Amino acid sequence: MPRAAWGAHAPVLPMSEHVPKRLTIHHTATIQNPARTIEQKMAGLQAFSQRDDSLASGKKKPAWADVPYHYYVAVDGAVAEGREWRYAGDTNTGYNPAGHLLVVVEGNFETDTLTSAQRRTLDVLVPALARHFHIAGSMLGGHRDFANTQCPGRNLYAEIPRLRAMITEGR
């Protein structure tokens, strides 16, 4: 689903252009919510992203220009475009996301497991993005590979070797 379809607002701050060289998987670290539409989820994520706010940990988050991730995979497997891919994302952790194409998956994968729809989507989306942006399987990682965080959660992180193999095998 392109940005226009979910009613994206324009970025509220300048953004830095980048060239994706890595593909990095994140999780929302929130409860999966099949009752909300992907349009509602994206609008809520953008509103949260574009204002100063507090995180669940109590840490303060500054306003970002836009949604921090390039692609969002909902609990039902639907995909929405977040930030335009040509702009570096944002993070609450100590790594520079420039050069990282960011895919976030709905759920807290420290405890949740992928739905079958999310797994099917990732099996198509991740190799397709890697092909499109000429990203090797070895350049796929989880957020925790670059920052001190549990993201994308142990259950989603366990999928990364399988996804790397799919990229490497050219699926």
Side-chain angles (χ1 to χ4, degrees):
M1 173 179 295
R3 290 172 57 84
W6 60 262
H9 297 289
V12 295
L13 297 166
M15 296 189 290
S16 299
E17 289 197 28
H18 76 145
V19 175
K21 304 223 181 280
R22 295 186 168 278
L23 208 161
T24 304
I25 306 294
H26 293 254
H27 70 168
T28 61
T30 58
I31 296 169
Q32 295 174 332
N33 188 350
R36 291 183 71 206
T37 66
I38 196 166
E39 293 89 350
Q40 292 169 322
K41 292 170 188 178
M42 293 305 294
L45 178 57
Q46 188 178 51
F48 167 78
S49 299
Q50 292 183 326
R51 67 178 181 251
D52 292 343
D53 212 323
S54 295
L55 304 172
S57 67
K59 178 182 170 186
K60 296 294 184 191
K61 176 201 77 66
W64 294 322
D66 203 351
V67 173
Y69 313 104
H70 301 104
Y71 298 95
Y72 184 103
V73 179
V75 68
D76 64 357
V79 178
E81 177 188 21
R83 184 177 295 219
E84 290 183 48
W85 67 262
R86 70 178 187 251
Y87 297 109
D90 278 301
T91 182
N92 285 310
T93 60
Y95 88 107
N96 180 356
H100 293 250
L101 189 65
L102 306 178
V103 175
V104 67
V105 183
E106 180 183 351
N108 180 345
F109 295 101
E110 276 299 302
T111 54
D112 291 333
T113 56
L114 288 172
T115 64
S116 57
Q118 286 173 318
R119 183 180 312 280
R120 283 191 305 272
T121 294
L122 288 173
D123 287 355
V124 173
L125 180 65
V126 169
L129 290 172
R131 273 191 311 277
H132 182 79
F133 290 99
H134 308 288
I135 298 171
S138 62
M139 300 302 276
L140 171 66
H143 184 185
R144 68 171 58 176
D145 293 323
F146 308 104
N148 184 18
T149 180
Q150 292 182 323
C151 182
R154 67 176 170 252
N155 295 324
L156 180 51
Y157 191 74
E159 298 289 325
I160 290 179
R162 187 178 65 76
L163 293 167
R164 279 186 188 134
M166 291 177 77
I167 293 167
T168 301
E169 294 166 7
R171 290 193 216 169

